[in-house]
Amino acid sequence: MDCIFCKIIEGSIPSAKVYEDESVYAFRDINPMAPVHVLVVPKKHLASMDEVNEENSECVAAIFRAIPKIAAAEGLKNGYRVISNCGEDACQTVKHLHFHILGGKKLPDQMA
Ligand code: DGP
C-alpha cells in the first residue's frame, strides 16, 4: 500500500519515534506547528476517522490511552491539544488516521 505513515510504522521511511506499543506508533511531525507536535497513529491502516467502526475501534481506544503518556513524557504539564483532520474540508493530507498532539506553548483559542 502506498501510504507514508504505513512506511513510517514499518521503518522504511525514518521518523523520530516518541512512543510505540502493539497497536500504536507516535512520532514527531515533520512540519511542527508548536514546540511539541507529535502524530499518533494506529499501526493498522485506517484512512481516516470515517473508517472507525465497532470492529476496529479498539485501536482508537489504545491511541487515547497512549496520548496522556506521551504528553507526560513530553513535559506538557500545562495542557495540550489533540486534533484529527478528517477529509477534504478539514484539509486531511495523509490518508492514514492520525491524531496531532500540540503543546509546549499557549495555543490560539480559535479552532477554525
Ligand atoms: P493532516 O493535515 O492532519 O493530514 O496532517 C498530516 C501531517 O503529517 C502534517 O502535519 C505533516 C505530517 N507529515 C507528512 N509527511 C510526513 C513524514 O514523512 N514524516 C513526518 N514525520 N511527518 C509527516
Side-chain angles (χ1 to χ4, degrees), residues 29 31-38 76 101-108:
D29 195 291
N31 182 27
M33 306 295 282
V36 174
H37 187 168
V38 171
L76 300 178
I101 302 174
L102 295 154
K105 70 171 186 181
K106 182 78 171 176
L107 298 166

Side-chain angles (χ1 to χ4, degrees), residues 66-86:
I67 284 172
K69 296 178 192 170
I70 296 165
E74 294 291 323
L76 300 178
K77 293 190 171 77
N78 208 39
Y80 54 93
R81 181 172 290 158
V82 177
I83 294 173
S84 184
N85 296 316
C86 180

Side-chain angles (χ1 to χ4, degrees), residues 8 17 35 50-51 58 70 77 80:
I8 285 174
K17 180 172 83 170
D50 277 344
E51 292 194 353
E58 172 54 28
I70 296 165
K77 293 190 171 77
Y80 54 93

